[in-house]
Amino acid sequence: MASTRPFHAALLSLTLALPAFAAGPAVWGEGMMVKVRPGTAARSATEVRLTAARNEFVSFQVALHGGDTGLKGVRAKLPALEGPATLTGPDVTLYREALITTKQASVAGEPVGAWPDGLVPDRDELAGETRNAFPFDVPAGESRALWVDVHVPQGAPAGDYTGTVTVEADGGFQRQVTARLTVVDAALPSTSSLPSAFLLWPPHVCRAHMGREDCTAEELQPLLERYQRMALEHRFTLSSLFPRKPWPPEWRCFDATWGPYMEGTAPTRLPGARMTSLEYVGPLDAANLKDFTAHMKDKGWLDRAYVQLGDEPPYGTTFAQVQANGDLVRQAAPGLRTMLTTNSRELKANDLGDRVDVVVPLVNHLDGTDANFRGDQRETYTAFLKRPGTALWMYQSCMSHGCAYGTNAPENKPGAGWPSYMLDRSAAKARAMEWVTYLEGATGELYYQTVGMLSTAWADQYRYNGNGDGTLFYPGTPQAIGGKTDVPVASMRLKLLRQGMQDYEWLKAVGDAGDPAFARKVARDLIPAASRVSDDSAAFDAARLKLIQRYEELTAGQKPDEGTQPPDAGTQQPGTPTDGSTQQPGTPTDGSTQPPETPTDGGTAPTPDEASGGPSQRPSDVTPDAVSDAQSGGCSTGGGGTAAIAGGLLFAAWALGGMRRRHARVTVPARRR
């Protein structure tokens, strides 16, 4: 065989002899699991591939690099996705990703600087008003991104859909990214199968939107409804967003406002979506507890109502006070569920088992690294869960990064660590919580606050040693995003949380369809332990595709009238298993005897100022090849070169292009990070 060295030498000398040409702007398609920061390098993928069920949201990004010249007046549009039906209107939303600049990292080793998080809509999903997402500029040498949400309606036929995102800028610049969506013959429930209670303190909303803290209930009501609607469209419930004064509320007005959200008649894009929890936020006295419980029972909402007995005892509330609160509720309102953020050790040591109905340990205490909670602790709740009406929920807090300012838990470093809703952690960390919840057999998720730093969210969210701790929304005031109506603005973390909730539906669906062992293996292969959540974004998407494929295999033989929709279990009784497993609690699920990583005592979170008795911190169409593609990806030809290319450079591009053309098909996720 003739040597190729002379050819390579000639090609190298030709390349080195060429003059330096300016790098033009670039536009490319990205999956939802990449955080496009200003320093992200340009890529050339002009196509993204997506898979979804009916009534599922699917997302992707369109990234831009300014090249040597930058881009001015960037605008984008995606009129529709066309296929067996047309997906358009409120089912297709474009957002500009706003940057927030961190000054301190949530976890040592993560970079400090600009991170994408706030999603400014082109046309907002709540009031339907045009906002100021476009136009915007991309500085020379930097990257920016757009987020695209697609909701597949319940009635959309299965099949292949295609849409084109057209990006334009001043000077005649235009590029396109094609989105190819496969809708599988299945549907996700509108009400999440995983109940949740994410808290919201109304005065923070008042301060952020109206510049004061003395808003009346009448002033806040329309705005709080918009926050609840956005939460339900992201598949979680804001359980405590009711004004505390006056208390008790005028029940007729309360029912008129919140009844549609409890009954599933509110105008959400997930038709029939219902709140899965409702917190008692009034004073802890016998008369008010009795009145609240009687009204919840009369309305048929008592199975979703609860009262918190305290806040992370002994730090937020003493155990003596928790015991007294539990006795009071049992006597005055025996049908009202009680909830407490504690763990099995404290539950037993302080004689709380008969006073607590829903126990909510930290993820760090349910599958931990500390000596007292090392490994899977699910078995330690077996005795508690034998009592009818009990349930095991779970929550994350600042212990996912280290609560004390200036410290970090040793296991929390880039590439490892706990689930986390911090904005400067990887997308995988924000998506992982519901996978861990499934693995631990927990049947609900709690989060202590969603608007903790809402008033400064666009500029600063550093709280409890983390960026974004307790703040998942942005205030969509007309001054901030344009338009006329105040609305909540979603963070990227809300989208990732929603994806985690949808992943949970697929895990549950595979289990309900007859193969819970497969679902557990997929989840355990992805997350070996709660403290070992990797930053491998492609692995999450590949795991989801495996679940979809297995679900299609399991349901392929069903009769048409049997349907393939997973049951809507949003109001299931507490404690009911959700994974279809008959495995005894505490039994190892991955067959592994490998010990967890080095233990650490992360401490207990501080009490937030707004916590009023609440917790503080602290398909057959998806082939094996498709899964492999999802992990490896590829690239296609795409924009961004100079207009005039020397003949030698054209030759070099042709010579190298043969290799690239063999990998022209791009399947999202196409990149690991």
Side-chain angles (χ1 to χ4, degrees):
M1 178 178 177
S3 173
T4 60
R5 289 183 180 177
F7 169 78
H8 286 299
L11 180 61
L12 178 61
S13 63
L14 176 62
T15 303
L16 293 176
L18 293 173
F21 290 96
V27 175
W28 70 97
E30 236 355 317
M32 68 179 294
M33 297 294 288
V34 172
K35 293 195 174 182
V36 179
R37 305 187 66 221
T40 298
R43 299 180 61 230
S44 58
T46 56
E47 182 174 294
V48 294
R49 299 204 176 191
L50 312 159
T51 303
R54 296 187 300 274
N55 208 36
E56 185 172 17
F57 283 91
V58 65
S59 304
F60 65 97
Q61 298 176 88
V62 175
L64 307 91
H65 191 281
D68 290 344
T69 60
L71 288 168
K72 299 286 187 181
V74 175
R75 305 167 300 281
K77 59 184 177 181
L78 173 58
L81 278 79
E82 299 287 354
T86 299
L87 311 184
T88 188
D91 290 317
V92 180
T93 308
L94 273 65
Y95 306 85
R96 169 175 53 86
E97 297 179 11
L99 299 175
I100 180 169
T101 301
T102 63
K103 298 178 178 63
Q104 302 179 73
S106 297
V107 170
E110 295 287 11
V112 172
W115 288 81
D117 192 54
L119 299 178
V120 180
D122 178 22
R123 185 178 181 86
D124 79 82
E125 56 271 74
L126 299 174
E129 297 177 5
T130 299
R131 305 295 180 162
N132 62 11
F134 309 124
F136 66 94
D137 298 338
V138 180
E142 293 189 9
S143 290
R144 297 291 187 271
L146 312 175
W147 185 278
V148 184
D149 260 1
V150 177
H151 171 245
V152 182
Q154 279 188 330
D160 295 327
Y161 295 75
T162 302
T164 300
V165 180
T166 300
V167 178
E168 299 176 336
D170 294 350
F173 179 89
Q174 185 181 95
R175 296 289 187 274
Q176 293 182 328
V177 171
T178 300
R180 300 190 185 279
L181 167 66
T182 297
V183 175
V184 300
D185 193 12
L188 297 194
S190 290
T191 300
S192 177
S193 299
L194 181 66
S196 58
F198 281 56
L199 308 190
L200 180 149
W201 184 244
H204 289 328
V205 175
C206 176
R207 182 190 306 136
H209 285 271
M210 302 180 189
R212 50 192 172 87
E213 297 187 8
D214 59 348
C215 302
T216 65
E218 290 75 19
E219 286 178 304
L220 274 177
Q221 174 187 308
L223 193 50
L224 294 177
E225 285 190 67
R226 294 178 199 125
Y227 273 83
Q228 187 67 276
R229 179 177 161 187
M230 177 167 280
L232 291 181
E233 291 191 357
H234 288 78
R235 300 186 180 276
F236 68 95
T237 295
L238 294 171
S239 62
S240 67
L241 76 171
F242 319 110
R244 275 62 170 169
K245 296 179 180 180
W247 195 271
E250 205 288 302
W251 288 120
R252 181 181 59 83
C253 295
F254 183 94
D255 297 345
T257 300
W258 301 111
Y261 298 90
M262 293 294 291
E263 301 290 352
T265 59
T268 63
R269 287 179 293 175
L270 296 174
R274 294 179 293 171
M275 294 170 58
T276 56
S277 63
L278 190 157
E279 182 177 358
Y280 173 77
V281 296
L284 281 175
D285 61 59
N288 279 298
L289 284 166
K290 184 176 181 179
D291 174 64
F292 173 82
T293 302
H295 188 75
M296 292 297 105
K297 183 176 181 180
D298 181 63
K299 298 298 296 183
W301 302 338
L302 189 57
D303 61 334
R304 286 175 278 169
Y306 70 94
V307 59
Q308 296 200 53
L309 298 182
D311 171 26
E312 291 183 335
Y315 305 96
T317 312
T318 66
F319 280 112
Q321 188 61 56
V322 170
Q323 292 169 345
N325 292 342
D327 291 341
L328 171 64
V329 175
R330 289 290 188 248
Q331 294 167 9
L336 181 59
R337 285 189 306 168
T338 58
M339 179 183 286
L340 183 65
T341 48
T342 191
N343 57 61
S344 57
R345 291 169 58 89
E346 302 288 13
L347 197 70
K348 182 178 180 180
N350 293 280
D351 191 27
L352 296 173
D354 291 335
R355 296 177 170 96
V356 176
D357 297 318
V358 182
V359 61
V360 191
L362 276 165
V363 60
N364 315 68
H365 291 169
L366 195 51
D367 183 9
T369 58
D370 177 74
N372 291 326
F373 305 102
R374 186 174 300 158
D376 192 338
Q377 299 295 305
R378 179 62 168 74
E379 185 178 5
T380 64
Y381 295 86
T382 301
F384 168 78
L385 293 172
K386 286 181 179 179
R387 178 166 62 82
T390 55
L392 172 66
W393 284 29
M394 192 167 70
Y395 76 112
Q396 62 169 280
S397 73
C398 59
M399 282 183 67
S400 284
H401 50 267
C403 293
Y405 289 102
T407 67
N408 294 111
E411 68 273 15
N412 287 291
K413 53 185 179 292
W418 305 92
S420 173
Y421 292 143
M422 299 308 100
L423 65 87
D424 55 345
R425 299 238 68 190
S426 70
K429 295 293 192 296
R431 186 175 173 177
M433 184 66 174
E434 292 72 34
W435 290 80
V436 176
T437 302
Y438 180 86
L439 284 168
E440 291 303 315
T443 56
E445 180 181 348
L446 179 94
Y447 193 60
Y448 86 102
Q449 187 54 256
T450 57
V451 292
M453 293 189 70
L454 189 67
S455 60
T456 63
W458 293 108
D460 179 25
Q461 295 182 36
Y462 191 74
R463 191 179 195 222
Y464 297 108
N465 205 36
N467 292 292
D469 199 327
T471 306
L472 300 180
F473 294 96
Y474 288 79
T477 63
Q479 293 80 5
I481 67 169
K484 298 180 180 179
T485 306
D486 280 67
V487 294
V489 167
S491 62
M492 286 178 64
R493 291 166 291 148
L494 275 194
K495 305 297 181 183
L496 295 163
L497 188 163
R498 180 184 66 194
Q499 188 59 54
M501 288 288 191
Q502 294 181 159
D503 294 339
Y504 183 93
E505 298 295 350
W506 284 113
L507 287 161
K508 181 179 183 298
V510 170
D512 290 348
D515 200 348
F518 181 89
R520 295 190 67 81
K521 184 178 187 307
V522 169
R524 186 56 77 192
D525 287 348
L526 180 66
I527 301 178
S531 61
R532 295 167 60 192
V533 177
S534 122
D535 292 332
D536 187 348
S537 61
F540 275 81
D541 283 325
R544 174 179 173 270
L545 289 178
K546 291 178 184 178
L547 294 171
I548 295 173
Q549 178 183 11
R550 183 59 181 145
Y551 180 76
E552 288 200 305
E553 293 170 350
L554 292 168
T555 59
Q558 289 185 340
K559 297 177 182 179
D561 60 350
E562 290 178 315
T564 58
Q565 179 168 339
D568 189 332
T571 57
Q572 67 184 46
Q573 291 301 310
T576 304
T578 61
D579 61 358
S581 175
T582 57
Q583 179 174 335
Q584 292 299 311
T587 304
T589 59
D590 59 357
S592 173
T593 57
Q594 180 179 348
E597 295 183 344
T598 306
T600 178
D601 187 354
T604 303
T607 305
D609 55 359
E610 74 279 356
S612 177
S616 67
Q617 310 275 313
R618 21 302 196 262
S620 60
D621 66 316
V622 183
T623 64
D625 286 342
V627 175
S628 176
D629 287 344
Q631 294 172 316
S632 60
C635 43
S636 61
T637 57
T642 60
I645 305 293
L649 190 57
L650 282 172
F651 174 78
W654 177 86
L656 296 173
M659 291 182 288
R660 299 181 68 185
R661 284 191 290 273
R662 289 197 295 271
H663 301 281
R665 178 171 179 248
V666 176
T667 301
V668 172
R671 178 166 111 180
R672 300 186 182 195
R673 186 166 186 247

